[in-house]
Amino acid sequence: MSLLQTKPVADVIAQSSGEGGADGHQLRRRLGAKDLTGFGIGLVIGTGIFTLTGLQARDNAGPAVVISFAIAGAVALLAAFCYAELAASVPTAGSAYTYAYATMGELAAWIIGWDLLLEFALGAAVVSRGWSGYLAQLFGLPTAWFGEEGSIVNVGAIAIVLLLGAVATMGIRQSARITNVLVVVKVVICVFVIVAGAFFVSAANLTPFIPAGQDPPPGESGLAQPLTQLLFGLEPSVFGIAGVLAAAAVVFFAYTGFEAVANLGEETKRPGRDLPLGLLGTLVISALLYVGVSLVLVGMVDYREIDRGAPIAAAFASVGADWAAVLVAVAAVAGLTSVMLVELVAMGRIGFAIARDGLLPPRLGAVHPRWGTPYRVTMIMSVAVALLAGFLPLSALADLVSIGALFAFVIVSLAVPWLRRTRPDLNRPFRVPLSPVLPIVSALACVYLMLNLSGETWLRFLAWLLIGMLIYFAYGHRHSRLTLARNAASAAGPGAGSPIPAPAPRTDSAPGSSGPAGPAGSSRATAPAAPGAEDEDR
Protein backbone atom coordinates (compact mmCIF):
# COMPACT_ATOMS: atom_id res chain seq x y z
CA MET A 1 0.00 0.00 0.00
CA SER A 2 3.01 2.35 0.40
CA LEU A 3 3.10 2.54 -3.40
CA LEU A 4 -0.29 4.27 -3.21
CA GLN A 5 0.73 6.81 -0.55
CA THR A 6 -0.40 10.29 -1.53
CA LYS A 7 1.25 13.61 -0.91
CA PRO A 8 -1.03 15.88 1.14
CA VAL A 9 -2.29 18.86 -0.84
CA ALA A 10 -1.48 21.08 2.13
CA ASP A 11 2.15 19.97 1.89
CA VAL A 12 2.23 20.71 -1.85
CA ILE A 13 0.94 24.25 -1.23
CA ALA A 14 3.29 24.76 1.71
CA GLN A 15 6.30 23.71 -0.36
CA SER A 16 5.45 26.05 -3.21
CA SER A 17 4.86 28.98 -0.83
CA GLY A 18 7.98 28.39 1.24
CA GLU A 19 6.14 27.26 4.38
CA GLY A 20 7.26 23.62 4.23
CA GLY A 21 10.75 24.05 5.58
CA ALA A 22 12.13 23.41 2.11
CA ASP A 23 14.89 26.00 2.23
CA GLY A 24 16.59 26.29 -1.15
CA HIS A 25 13.80 24.41 -2.87
CA GLN A 26 11.38 27.18 -3.81
CA LEU A 27 11.14 29.10 -7.05
CA ARG A 28 10.51 32.84 -7.40
CA ARG A 29 7.16 34.26 -8.49
CA ARG A 30 7.91 36.50 -11.46
CA LEU A 31 5.45 35.60 -14.24
CA GLY A 32 2.07 37.03 -15.27
CA ALA A 33 -0.68 35.90 -17.66
CA LYS A 34 1.08 37.48 -20.66
CA ASP A 35 4.29 35.61 -19.89
CA LEU A 36 2.44 32.32 -19.42
CA THR A 37 0.57 32.70 -22.70
CA GLY A 38 3.85 33.55 -24.40
CA PHE A 39 5.49 30.41 -23.03
CA GLY A 40 2.53 28.28 -24.09
CA ILE A 41 2.33 29.64 -27.64
CA GLY A 42 6.12 29.53 -27.77
CA LEU A 43 6.00 25.77 -27.42
CA VAL A 44 2.75 24.99 -29.24
CA ILE A 45 3.38 27.01 -32.42
CA GLY A 46 6.39 25.28 -33.91
CA THR A 47 6.89 21.77 -35.22
CA GLY A 48 3.16 21.22 -35.71
CA ILE A 49 2.81 24.03 -38.23
CA PHE A 50 6.22 23.90 -39.87
CA THR A 51 6.62 20.12 -40.25
CA LEU A 52 3.78 17.86 -39.11
CA THR A 53 1.14 19.61 -41.20
CA GLY A 54 2.74 18.50 -44.45
CA LEU A 55 3.74 15.04 -43.26
CA GLN A 56 0.27 14.06 -42.05
CA ALA A 57 -1.53 15.58 -45.03
CA ARG A 58 0.69 13.60 -47.39
CA ASP A 59 0.79 10.31 -45.48
CA ASN A 60 -2.52 9.97 -43.63
CA ALA A 61 -5.29 12.53 -44.02
CA GLY A 62 -4.97 14.52 -47.26
CA PRO A 63 -6.75 17.91 -47.15
CA ALA A 64 -8.72 16.60 -44.16
CA VAL A 65 -5.63 17.20 -42.03
CA VAL A 66 -7.56 20.38 -41.20
CA ILE A 67 -10.13 18.18 -39.43
CA SER A 68 -7.30 16.30 -37.71
CA PHE A 69 -5.97 19.53 -36.24
CA ALA A 70 -9.48 20.54 -35.15
CA ILE A 71 -10.06 17.17 -33.42
CA ALA A 72 -6.69 17.27 -31.68
CA GLY A 73 -7.32 20.87 -30.63
CA ALA A 74 -10.74 20.03 -29.16
CA VAL A 75 -9.28 17.17 -27.10
CA ALA A 76 -6.42 19.40 -25.95
CA LEU A 77 -8.91 22.09 -24.91
CA LEU A 78 -10.83 19.59 -22.77
CA ALA A 79 -7.58 18.63 -21.05
CA ALA A 80 -6.64 22.31 -20.67
CA PHE A 81 -9.83 22.95 -18.65
CA CYS A 82 -8.76 20.19 -16.26
CA TYR A 83 -5.23 21.53 -16.06
CA ALA A 84 -6.59 25.01 -15.35
CA GLU A 85 -8.57 23.88 -12.29
CA LEU A 86 -5.70 21.90 -10.81
CA ALA A 87 -3.04 24.50 -11.62
CA ALA A 88 -5.09 27.34 -10.09
CA SER A 89 -5.91 25.29 -6.98
CA VAL A 90 -2.44 23.77 -6.48
CA PRO A 91 0.02 26.15 -8.19
CA THR A 92 3.29 24.24 -8.07
CA ALA A 93 6.10 22.92 -10.24
CA GLY A 94 5.68 19.47 -11.77
CA SER A 95 2.12 19.87 -13.12
CA ALA A 96 0.68 16.41 -13.88
CA TYR A 97 3.33 14.71 -11.72
CA THR A 98 2.33 16.68 -8.64
CA TYR A 99 -1.40 16.35 -9.34
CA ALA A 100 -1.03 12.56 -9.57
CA TYR A 101 0.99 12.48 -6.33
CA ALA A 102 -1.80 14.32 -4.49
CA THR A 103 -4.58 12.10 -5.84
CA MET A 104 -3.50 8.68 -7.14
CA GLY A 105 -0.36 8.01 -5.16
CA GLU A 106 3.39 7.89 -5.43
CA LEU A 107 3.71 5.13 -8.03
CA ALA A 108 1.33 6.86 -10.44
CA ALA A 109 3.15 10.15 -9.85
CA TRP A 110 6.52 8.62 -10.68
CA ILE A 111 5.16 7.04 -13.87
CA ILE A 112 3.75 10.40 -14.98
CA GLY A 113 6.93 12.29 -14.06
CA TRP A 114 9.10 9.80 -15.93
CA ASP A 115 6.69 9.99 -18.87
CA LEU A 116 6.86 13.81 -18.93
CA LEU A 117 10.66 13.78 -18.96
CA LEU A 118 10.53 11.53 -22.03
CA GLU A 119 7.95 13.75 -23.70
CA PHE A 120 9.87 17.00 -23.32
CA ALA A 121 13.35 15.53 -23.93
CA LEU A 122 12.40 13.82 -27.19
CA GLY A 123 10.33 16.81 -28.25
CA ALA A 124 13.27 19.18 -27.78
CA ALA A 125 15.65 16.81 -29.58
CA VAL A 126 13.33 16.37 -32.57
CA VAL A 127 12.73 20.12 -32.85
CA SER A 128 16.44 20.95 -32.59
CA ARG A 129 17.18 18.81 -35.65
CA GLY A 130 14.37 20.54 -37.54
CA TRP A 131 15.82 23.91 -36.48
CA SER A 132 19.23 22.88 -37.78
CA GLY A 133 17.75 21.87 -41.14
CA TYR A 134 15.88 25.17 -41.59
CA LEU A 135 19.06 27.07 -40.69
CA ALA A 136 20.99 25.13 -43.33
CA GLN A 137 18.29 25.95 -45.89
CA LEU A 138 18.48 29.66 -45.11
CA PHE A 139 22.26 30.04 -45.21
CA GLY A 140 23.38 27.16 -47.42
CA LEU A 141 25.21 25.36 -44.60
CA PRO A 142 26.71 21.88 -45.18
CA THR A 143 24.16 19.12 -44.65
CA ALA A 144 26.87 16.85 -43.19
CA TRP A 145 26.81 19.04 -40.07
CA PHE A 146 23.32 20.56 -40.17
CA GLY A 147 21.10 18.09 -42.02
CA GLU A 148 19.58 14.63 -41.77
CA GLU A 149 20.94 12.89 -44.87
CA GLY A 150 24.47 11.50 -44.50
CA SER A 151 25.01 13.28 -41.19
CA ILE A 152 26.97 11.51 -38.44
CA VAL A 153 26.73 14.30 -35.88
CA ASN A 154 24.34 17.26 -36.14
CA VAL A 155 26.47 20.14 -34.88
CA GLY A 156 23.69 22.68 -35.34
CA ALA A 157 21.29 20.72 -33.11
CA ILE A 158 23.88 20.31 -30.36
CA ALA A 159 24.87 23.98 -30.44
CA ILE A 160 21.33 25.38 -30.22
CA VAL A 161 20.31 23.04 -27.38
CA LEU A 162 23.37 23.95 -25.29
CA LEU A 163 22.86 27.67 -25.96
CA LEU A 164 19.19 27.60 -25.00
CA GLY A 165 19.97 25.34 -22.04
CA ALA A 166 22.23 28.10 -20.72
CA VAL A 167 19.42 30.65 -21.14
CA ALA A 168 16.95 28.36 -19.32
CA THR A 169 19.48 27.85 -16.53
CA MET A 170 20.30 31.52 -15.96
CA GLY A 171 16.80 32.84 -15.33
CA ILE A 172 13.07 32.49 -15.93
CA ARG A 173 12.64 36.19 -16.74
CA GLN A 174 15.35 36.02 -19.40
CA SER A 175 13.64 32.95 -20.86
CA ALA A 176 10.28 34.73 -20.81
CA ARG A 177 11.62 37.83 -22.57
CA ILE A 178 13.31 35.88 -25.35
CA THR A 179 10.27 33.64 -25.77
CA ASN A 180 7.85 36.57 -26.01
CA VAL A 181 9.92 38.20 -28.78
CA LEU A 182 10.09 34.95 -30.76
CA VAL A 183 6.36 34.36 -30.27
CA VAL A 184 5.49 37.76 -31.75
CA VAL A 185 7.64 36.98 -34.81
CA LYS A 186 6.08 33.62 -35.58
CA VAL A 187 2.49 34.61 -34.83
CA VAL A 188 2.84 37.53 -37.27
CA ILE A 189 4.28 35.17 -39.89
CA CYS A 190 1.48 32.62 -39.31
CA VAL A 191 -1.13 35.32 -39.88
CA PHE A 192 0.81 36.36 -42.99
CA VAL A 193 0.76 32.76 -44.27
CA ILE A 194 -3.01 32.58 -43.84
CA VAL A 195 -3.70 35.93 -45.50
CA ALA A 196 -1.15 35.73 -48.33
CA GLY A 197 -1.64 32.02 -48.96
CA ALA A 198 -5.40 32.46 -49.33
CA PHE A 199 -4.78 34.17 -52.70
CA PHE A 200 -3.13 30.98 -54.03
CA VAL A 201 -5.71 28.46 -52.78
CA SER A 202 -7.21 26.27 -55.51
CA ALA A 203 -10.48 24.41 -55.00
CA ALA A 204 -9.10 21.51 -57.05
CA ASN A 205 -6.50 20.83 -54.35
CA LEU A 206 -9.25 20.42 -51.74
CA THR A 207 -11.12 17.72 -53.67
CA PRO A 208 -11.67 15.08 -52.43
CA PHE A 209 -11.40 16.61 -48.98
CA ILE A 210 -11.20 13.16 -47.33
CA PRO A 211 -9.39 10.81 -49.76
CA ALA A 212 -10.72 7.26 -49.94
CA GLY A 213 -8.99 4.71 -47.73
CA GLN A 214 -6.24 2.70 -49.39
CA ASP A 215 -3.56 0.15 -48.59
CA PRO A 216 -0.41 1.41 -46.85
CA PRO A 217 2.88 1.69 -48.81
CA PRO A 218 4.48 -1.68 -49.68
CA GLY A 219 6.86 -3.07 -47.09
CA GLU A 220 5.42 -1.11 -44.17
CA SER A 221 5.32 -3.16 -40.96
CA GLY A 222 1.96 -4.10 -39.49
CA LEU A 223 3.13 -2.59 -36.20
CA ALA A 224 3.28 0.77 -37.96
CA GLN A 225 -0.53 0.73 -38.21
CA PRO A 226 -2.80 2.24 -35.53
CA LEU A 227 -3.34 0.01 -32.51
CA THR A 228 -7.10 -0.03 -33.15
CA GLN A 229 -6.51 -1.78 -36.47
CA LEU A 230 -4.18 -4.33 -34.84
CA LEU A 231 -6.54 -5.04 -31.91
CA PHE A 232 -9.65 -5.54 -34.02
CA GLY A 233 -7.96 -7.33 -36.93
CA LEU A 234 -8.84 -4.64 -39.44
CA GLU A 235 -7.06 -4.47 -42.78
CA PRO A 236 -4.25 -1.88 -42.63
CA SER A 237 -5.22 1.33 -44.41
CA VAL A 238 -4.33 4.98 -44.75
CA PHE A 239 -6.52 7.99 -45.57
CA GLY A 240 -10.28 7.83 -45.12
CA ILE A 241 -11.77 8.41 -41.66
CA ALA A 242 -9.16 6.10 -40.11
CA GLY A 243 -6.41 8.22 -41.62
CA VAL A 244 -7.96 11.43 -40.28
CA LEU A 245 -8.06 9.96 -36.75
CA ALA A 246 -4.53 8.58 -37.03
CA ALA A 247 -3.31 12.01 -38.14
CA ALA A 248 -5.17 13.63 -35.23
CA ALA A 249 -3.32 11.35 -32.79
CA VAL A 250 0.06 12.30 -34.26
CA VAL A 251 -0.54 16.05 -34.65
CA PHE A 252 -1.68 16.11 -31.03
CA PHE A 253 2.07 16.44 -30.50
CA ALA A 254 1.66 19.99 -31.79
CA TYR A 255 -0.66 21.00 -28.93
CA THR A 256 1.25 19.50 -26.01
CA GLY A 257 3.08 22.75 -25.32
CA PHE A 258 0.27 24.20 -23.19
CA GLU A 259 1.24 21.67 -20.53
CA ALA A 260 4.44 23.62 -19.93
CA VAL A 261 2.34 26.52 -18.61
CA ALA A 262 1.11 24.40 -15.69
CA ASN A 263 4.75 23.63 -14.81
CA LEU A 264 5.27 27.35 -14.09
CA GLY A 265 2.59 27.56 -11.39
CA GLU A 266 5.15 28.04 -8.63
CA GLU A 267 6.64 31.02 -10.50
CA THR A 268 3.33 32.78 -11.24
CA LYS A 269 2.46 35.97 -9.38
CA ARG A 270 -1.32 35.42 -9.30
CA PRO A 271 -1.80 31.73 -10.07
CA GLY A 272 -5.55 31.63 -9.44
CA ARG A 273 -6.13 34.17 -12.22
CA ASP A 274 -3.11 33.93 -14.50
CA LEU A 275 -2.77 30.16 -14.91
CA PRO A 276 -6.27 29.58 -16.37
CA LEU A 277 -5.81 32.60 -18.66
CA GLY A 278 -2.41 31.34 -19.82
CA LEU A 279 -3.58 27.76 -20.40
CA LEU A 280 -6.84 28.47 -22.20
CA GLY A 281 -5.45 31.46 -24.10
CA THR A 282 -2.62 29.32 -25.43
CA LEU A 283 -4.98 26.63 -26.73
CA VAL A 284 -7.51 28.94 -28.37
CA ILE A 285 -4.93 31.06 -30.21
CA SER A 286 -2.87 28.05 -31.28
CA ALA A 287 -5.84 26.02 -32.54
CA LEU A 288 -7.08 28.91 -34.69
CA LEU A 289 -3.62 29.37 -36.21
CA TYR A 290 -3.16 25.64 -36.84
CA VAL A 291 -6.49 25.21 -38.60
CA GLY A 292 -5.96 28.34 -40.72
CA VAL A 293 -2.41 27.50 -41.79
CA SER A 294 -3.19 23.84 -42.55
CA LEU A 295 -6.20 24.85 -44.67
CA VAL A 296 -4.10 27.28 -46.70
CA LEU A 297 -1.31 24.72 -47.17
CA VAL A 298 -3.51 21.93 -48.56
CA GLY A 299 -5.30 24.51 -50.71
CA MET A 300 -2.07 25.79 -52.26
CA VAL A 301 -0.50 22.41 -53.09
CA ASP A 302 -1.88 18.98 -53.99
CA TYR A 303 -1.44 16.93 -50.80
CA ARG A 304 0.48 14.25 -52.72
CA GLU A 305 3.12 16.81 -53.70
CA ILE A 306 3.65 18.53 -50.33
CA ASP A 307 7.30 18.79 -49.36
CA ARG A 308 8.19 16.69 -46.30
CA GLY A 309 10.98 18.84 -44.90
CA ALA A 310 9.71 22.43 -45.24
CA PRO A 311 6.10 22.16 -46.48
CA ILE A 312 4.97 25.77 -46.06
CA ALA A 313 8.10 27.41 -47.46
CA ALA A 314 8.06 24.97 -50.40
CA ALA A 315 4.36 25.70 -51.01
CA PHE A 316 5.05 29.41 -51.51
CA ALA A 317 8.06 28.62 -53.67
CA SER A 318 5.89 26.36 -55.85
CA VAL A 319 3.59 29.28 -56.71
CA GLY A 320 6.48 31.64 -57.48
CA ALA A 321 6.46 33.54 -54.17
CA ASP A 322 10.11 32.87 -53.24
CA TRP A 323 10.26 35.97 -51.06
CA ALA A 324 7.43 34.57 -48.95
CA ALA A 325 9.26 31.24 -48.69
CA VAL A 326 12.23 33.05 -47.12
CA LEU A 327 9.96 34.77 -44.57
CA VAL A 328 8.43 31.43 -43.62
CA ALA A 329 11.87 29.87 -43.18
CA VAL A 330 12.87 32.75 -40.88
CA ALA A 331 9.67 32.26 -38.87
CA ALA A 332 10.40 28.55 -38.64
CA VAL A 333 13.82 29.21 -37.13
CA ALA A 334 12.28 31.64 -34.62
CA GLY A 335 9.37 29.34 -33.89
CA LEU A 336 11.44 26.24 -33.31
CA THR A 337 13.86 28.20 -31.11
CA SER A 338 11.08 29.15 -28.72
CA VAL A 339 9.80 25.56 -28.72
CA MET A 340 13.15 24.23 -27.57
CA LEU A 341 13.58 26.93 -24.94
CA VAL A 342 10.20 26.28 -23.31
CA GLU A 343 10.74 22.51 -23.37
CA LEU A 344 14.09 22.87 -21.60
CA VAL A 345 12.48 25.16 -18.99
CA ALA A 346 9.65 22.66 -18.47
CA MET A 347 12.02 19.69 -18.08
CA GLY A 348 13.93 21.54 -15.39
CA ARG A 349 10.74 22.20 -13.41
CA ILE A 350 9.58 18.57 -13.63
CA GLY A 351 12.97 17.26 -12.52
CA PHE A 352 12.99 19.87 -9.74
CA ALA A 353 9.62 18.68 -8.40
CA ILE A 354 10.62 14.99 -8.50
CA ALA A 355 13.95 15.65 -6.74
CA ARG A 356 12.26 17.80 -4.08
CA ASP A 357 10.09 14.80 -3.19
CA GLY A 358 13.15 12.55 -2.92
CA LEU A 359 12.29 10.26 -5.85
CA LEU A 360 15.51 11.53 -7.44
CA PRO A 361 18.54 12.76 -5.41
CA PRO A 362 17.45 16.03 -3.73
CA ARG A 363 20.68 17.81 -4.71
CA LEU A 364 19.51 17.70 -8.33
CA GLY A 365 16.65 20.03 -7.43
CA ALA A 366 18.76 22.72 -5.75
CA VAL A 367 17.80 26.28 -6.74
CA HIS A 368 20.62 28.64 -7.67
CA PRO A 369 20.98 31.44 -5.07
CA ARG A 370 21.25 34.15 -7.74
CA TRP A 371 19.40 32.89 -10.80
CA GLY A 372 16.48 31.40 -8.88
CA THR A 373 16.25 28.37 -11.19
CA PRO A 374 16.77 24.62 -10.64
CA TYR A 375 20.11 24.90 -12.38
CA ARG A 376 21.57 21.44 -11.85
CA VAL A 377 18.69 19.44 -13.26
CA THR A 378 18.25 21.96 -16.10
CA MET A 379 21.91 21.67 -17.11
CA ILE A 380 21.88 17.86 -16.92
CA MET A 381 18.73 17.66 -19.03
CA SER A 382 20.13 20.11 -21.58
CA VAL A 383 23.29 18.05 -22.06
CA ALA A 384 21.23 14.84 -22.40
CA VAL A 385 18.97 16.43 -25.03
CA ALA A 386 22.01 17.79 -26.90
CA LEU A 387 23.51 14.29 -27.12
CA LEU A 388 20.23 12.81 -28.33
CA ALA A 389 19.77 15.57 -30.88
CA GLY A 390 23.33 15.33 -32.15
CA PHE A 391 23.54 11.62 -32.77
CA LEU A 392 20.04 10.18 -33.17
CA PRO A 393 17.55 10.99 -35.98
CA LEU A 394 14.43 11.38 -33.87
CA SER A 395 11.92 12.80 -36.34
CA ALA A 396 10.13 9.43 -36.47
CA LEU A 397 9.47 9.61 -32.72
CA ALA A 398 7.00 12.52 -32.73
CA ASP A 399 4.23 10.01 -32.11
CA LEU A 400 6.08 8.85 -28.97
CA VAL A 401 5.85 12.41 -27.66
CA SER A 402 2.11 12.34 -28.41
CA ILE A 403 1.48 9.15 -26.46
CA GLY A 404 3.40 10.52 -23.49
CA ALA A 405 1.35 13.71 -23.46
CA LEU A 406 -1.97 11.90 -23.90
CA PHE A 407 -1.13 9.53 -21.05
CA ALA A 408 -0.44 12.49 -18.76
CA PHE A 409 -3.67 14.18 -19.84
CA VAL A 410 -5.68 11.09 -18.91
CA ILE A 411 -4.28 11.25 -15.37
CA VAL A 412 -4.91 15.00 -15.07
CA SER A 413 -8.49 14.65 -16.32
CA LEU A 414 -9.28 11.93 -13.78
CA ALA A 415 -7.56 13.88 -11.00
CA VAL A 416 -10.15 16.70 -11.17
CA PRO A 417 -13.23 14.72 -9.93
CA TRP A 418 -10.98 12.64 -7.66
CA LEU A 419 -9.64 15.74 -5.87
CA ARG A 420 -13.11 17.29 -5.68
CA ARG A 421 -14.29 14.20 -3.81
CA THR A 422 -11.29 13.93 -1.47
CA ARG A 423 -10.73 17.67 -0.92
CA PRO A 424 -14.07 19.45 -1.36
CA ASP A 425 -12.79 22.25 0.92
CA LEU A 426 -9.90 23.18 -1.39
CA ASN A 427 -9.99 26.73 -2.74
CA ARG A 428 -10.65 26.52 -6.49
CA PRO A 429 -10.30 29.92 -8.21
CA PHE A 430 -11.20 28.19 -11.49
CA ARG A 431 -13.61 25.25 -11.79
CA VAL A 432 -14.09 22.91 -14.74
CA PRO A 433 -17.68 23.28 -15.97
CA LEU A 434 -19.94 20.20 -15.99
CA SER A 435 -17.65 18.15 -13.76
CA PRO A 436 -17.35 15.15 -13.59
CA VAL A 437 -18.80 14.77 -17.10
CA LEU A 438 -16.31 16.98 -18.93
CA PRO A 439 -13.19 15.50 -17.21
CA ILE A 440 -14.38 11.95 -17.97
CA VAL A 441 -15.06 12.85 -21.60
CA SER A 442 -11.57 14.39 -21.73
CA ALA A 443 -9.97 11.19 -20.39
CA LEU A 444 -11.89 8.97 -22.81
CA ALA A 445 -11.02 11.20 -25.77
CA CYS A 446 -7.32 11.05 -24.87
CA VAL A 447 -7.45 7.26 -24.56
CA TYR A 448 -9.13 7.02 -27.96
CA LEU A 449 -6.41 9.10 -29.60
CA MET A 450 -3.78 6.91 -27.92
CA LEU A 451 -5.37 3.84 -29.49
CA ASN A 452 -4.96 5.46 -32.91
CA LEU A 453 -1.18 5.57 -32.51
CA SER A 454 0.91 2.76 -33.96
CA GLY A 455 1.76 -0.53 -32.28
CA GLU A 456 5.45 0.40 -32.54
CA THR A 457 4.80 3.53 -30.52
CA TRP A 458 3.09 1.54 -27.78
CA LEU A 459 6.01 -0.90 -27.56
CA ARG A 460 8.56 1.92 -27.27
CA PHE A 461 6.42 3.67 -24.67
CA LEU A 462 6.10 0.51 -22.56
CA ALA A 463 9.86 -0.06 -22.76
CA TRP A 464 10.50 3.46 -21.44
CA LEU A 465 8.04 2.93 -18.58
CA LEU A 466 9.79 -0.35 -17.68
CA ILE A 467 13.13 1.47 -17.37
CA GLY A 468 11.43 4.03 -15.14
CA MET A 469 9.98 1.33 -12.89
CA LEU A 470 13.45 -0.16 -12.37
CA ILE A 471 14.77 3.25 -11.26
CA TYR A 472 11.78 3.81 -8.97
CA PHE A 473 12.11 0.52 -7.11
CA ALA A 474 15.91 0.71 -6.98
CA TYR A 475 16.05 4.26 -5.60
CA GLY A 476 12.95 6.43 -5.68
CA HIS A 477 10.53 4.57 -3.42
CA ARG A 478 13.13 3.91 -0.71
CA HIS A 479 14.28 7.55 -0.61
CA SER A 480 11.01 9.41 -1.08
CA ARG A 481 10.12 11.92 1.61
CA LEU A 482 6.83 10.14 2.30
CA THR A 483 8.59 6.80 2.83
CA LEU A 484 11.21 8.37 5.10
CA ALA A 485 8.46 10.06 7.12
CA ARG A 486 6.56 6.79 7.52
CA ASN A 487 9.70 4.93 8.56
CA ALA A 488 10.57 7.62 11.07
CA ALA A 489 7.09 7.46 12.55
CA SER A 490 7.29 3.66 12.84
CA ALA A 491 10.66 3.87 14.57
CA ALA A 492 9.33 6.46 17.04
CA GLY A 493 6.58 4.10 18.14
CA PRO A 494 2.80 4.45 18.59
CA GLY A 495 1.47 7.96 18.97
CA ALA A 496 4.40 9.63 17.30
CA GLY A 497 3.68 12.11 14.55
CA SER A 498 4.83 11.59 11.00
CA PRO A 499 5.87 14.94 9.63
CA ILE A 500 7.20 14.97 6.12
CA PRO A 501 10.92 15.77 6.41
CA ALA A 502 12.39 18.71 4.56
CA PRO A 503 14.66 18.02 1.63
CA ALA A 504 18.38 17.89 2.24
CA PRO A 505 19.65 21.46 2.78
CA ARG A 506 21.35 23.09 -0.16
CA THR A 507 25.12 23.38 0.17
CA ASP A 508 25.80 25.76 -2.71
CA SER A 509 24.50 29.02 -1.21
CA ALA A 510 26.86 31.84 -0.47
CA PRO A 511 28.18 31.95 3.11
CA GLY A 512 25.52 33.18 5.44
CA SER A 513 22.85 32.94 2.76
CA SER A 514 19.63 31.09 3.38
CA GLY A 515 18.64 30.84 -0.29
CA PRO A 516 16.53 32.90 -2.63
CA ALA A 517 13.45 32.66 -0.45
CA GLY A 518 15.20 33.64 2.76
CA PRO A 519 14.91 31.60 5.96
CA ALA A 520 12.53 28.69 5.94
CA GLY A 521 8.98 29.80 6.34
CA SER A 522 9.69 33.42 5.43
CA SER A 523 8.18 33.24 1.97
CA ARG A 524 4.47 33.18 1.22
CA ALA A 525 2.47 32.62 -1.95
CA THR A 526 1.37 36.24 -1.82
CA ALA A 527 4.64 37.67 -0.57
CA PRO A 528 6.73 39.93 -2.79
CA ALA A 529 9.55 38.43 -4.79
CA ALA A 530 13.07 38.15 -3.47
CA PRO A 531 15.10 41.38 -3.14
CA GLY A 532 15.99 42.67 -6.56
CA ALA A 533 13.20 40.78 -8.28
CA GLU A 534 11.01 43.87 -8.45
CA ASP A 535 13.62 45.69 -10.50
CA GLU A 536 14.01 42.72 -12.80
CA ASP A 537 10.25 42.48 -13.30
CA ARG A 538 10.11 46.13 -14.26
Side-chain angles (χ1 to χ4, degrees):
M1 292 301 294
S2 62
L3 300 180
L4 302 179
Q5 58 190 353
T6 58
K7 184 176 181 179
V9 174
D11 182 55
V12 174
I13 297 175
Q15 278 186 328
S16 64
S17 63
E19 299 173 0
D23 181 31
H25 286 77
Q26 303 92 40
L27 302 172
R28 301 178 185 176
R29 297 190 181 275
R30 296 176 170 180
L31 303 178
K34 181 182 70 174
D35 298 313
L36 295 175
T37 305
F39 266 110
I41 296 175
L43 185 48
V44 172
I45 302 298
T47 307
I49 278 186
F50 297 114
T51 303
L52 289 183
T53 308
L55 287 174
Q56 292 306 308
R58 181 165 179 159
D59 295 343
N60 274 317
V65 72
V66 178
I67 300 177
S68 300
F69 272 109
I71 292 173
V75 175
L77 186 61
L78 291 175
F81 273 107
C82 299
Y83 262 102
E85 175 169 325
L86 295 177
S89 305
V90 190
T92 184
S95 68
Y97 158 78
T98 304
Y99 308 149
Y101 213 159
T103 55
M104 300 180 182
E106 184 175 279
L107 179 60
W110 168 260
I111 292 173
I112 290 298
W114 186 246
D115 164 62
L116 291 175
L117 291 177
L118 169 73
E119 173 192 336
F120 285 111
L122 285 180
V126 171
V127 172
S128 67
R129 293 184 74 93
W131 181 94
S132 184
Y134 268 107
L135 194 70
Q137 181 184 17
L138 272 176
F139 298 106
L141 301 175
T143 57
W145 303 104
F146 292 86
E148 290 292 328
E149 300 297 332
S151 173
I152 298 176
V153 53
N154 194 313
V155 176
I158 293 176
I160 189 60
V161 169
L162 293 179
L163 175 62
L164 295 178
V167 174
T169 300
M170 293 177 63
I172 189 67
R173 288 299 299 166
Q174 290 84 347
S175 301
R177 288 166 183 155
I178 293 174
T179 299
N180 287 339
V181 171
L182 296 175
V183 164
V184 170
V185 171
K186 62 183 176 181
V187 168
V188 169
I189 295 298
C190 287
V191 173
F192 163 80
V193 168
I194 296 172
V195 175
F199 291 97
F200 301 101
V201 170
S202 169
N205 292 328
L206 299 175
T207 306
F209 195 69
I210 303 180
Q214 55 188 258
D215 294 335
E220 187 173 276
S221 167
L223 287 175
Q225 298 304 310
L227 187 63
T228 49
Q229 296 182 10
L230 294 175
L231 289 177
F232 299 107
L234 302 176
E235 287 295 324
S237 66
V238 293
F239 300 111
I241 298 298
V244 172
L245 294 174
V250 175
V251 302
F252 193 85
F253 165 85
Y255 287 102
T256 56
F258 80 85
E259 184 180 22
V261 175
N263 275 292
L264 302 175
E266 200 163 321
E267 296 161 89
T268 302
K269 298 174 185 176
R270 295 174 291 180
R273 169 186 175 273
D274 294 343
L275 282 169
L277 287 176
L279 286 163
L280 300 178
T282 294
L283 255 297
V284 171
I285 294 172
S286 300
L288 291 175
L289 290 175
Y290 271 135
V291 170
V293 170
S294 60
L295 180 60
V296 166
L297 173 63
V298 295
M300 291 176 66
V301 184
D302 187 293
Y303 72 90
R304 289 159 291 203
E305 300 175 2
I306 291 177
D307 183 78
R308 292 180 180 274
I312 300 175
F316 277 100
S318 70
V319 296
D322 293 326
W323 60 273
V326 173
L327 282 179
V328 171
V330 171
V333 170
L336 298 179
T337 299
S338 66
V339 170
M340 288 181 284
L341 179 56
V342 178
E343 285 181 319
L344 292 172
V345 169
M347 276 191 296
R349 273 57 184 175
I350 295 167
F352 163 81
I354 297 174
R356 182 167 61 181
D357 291 330
L359 300 179
L360 290 174
R363 288 179 60 84
L364 293 179
V367 175
H368 195 277
R370 178 182 176 187
W371 299 331
T373 62
Y375 68 107
R376 284 178 177 165
V377 68
T378 302
M379 288 191 294
I380 291 172
M381 290 291 183
S382 298
V383 172
V385 171
L387 292 175
L388 290 171
F391 296 97
L392 296 177
L394 296 174
S395 58
L397 297 180
D399 50 355
L400 189 55
V401 181
S402 289
I403 196 171
L406 287 164
F407 183 63
F409 294 173
V410 170
I411 299 299
V412 169
S413 299
L414 296 177
V416 169
W418 194 317
L419 199 58
R420 283 200 187 185
R421 183 177 62 84
T422 57
R423 283 297 308 273
D425 59 314
L426 188 66
N427 178 37
R428 292 174 171 82
F430 178 86
R431 298 176 69 90
V432 177
L434 304 177
S435 182
V437 175
L438 190 147
I440 292 175
V441 170
S442 173
L444 292 175
C446 290
V447 169
Y448 184 72
L449 285 186
M450 290 174 69
L451 293 175
N452 279 278
L453 290 167
S454 69
E456 290 175 333
T457 300
W458 278 87
L459 291 178
R460 293 168 183 155
F461 181 61
L462 293 176
W464 175 257
L465 292 183
L466 178 60
I467 295 172
M469 295 302 292
L470 294 176
I471 295 174
Y472 174 71
F473 286 108
Y475 178 89
H477 181 58
R478 294 187 295 112
H479 293 84
S480 79
R481 295 177 64 218
L482 292 184
T483 298
L484 295 178
R486 190 183 65 254
N487 293 342
S490 299
S498 58
I500 298 177
R506 191 183 69 242
T507 59
D508 54 351
S509 297
S513 170
S514 58
S522 66
S523 173
R524 297 292 187 271
T526 56
E534 295 85 349
D535 294 335
E536 186 172 359
D537 287 338
R538 286 195 293 269

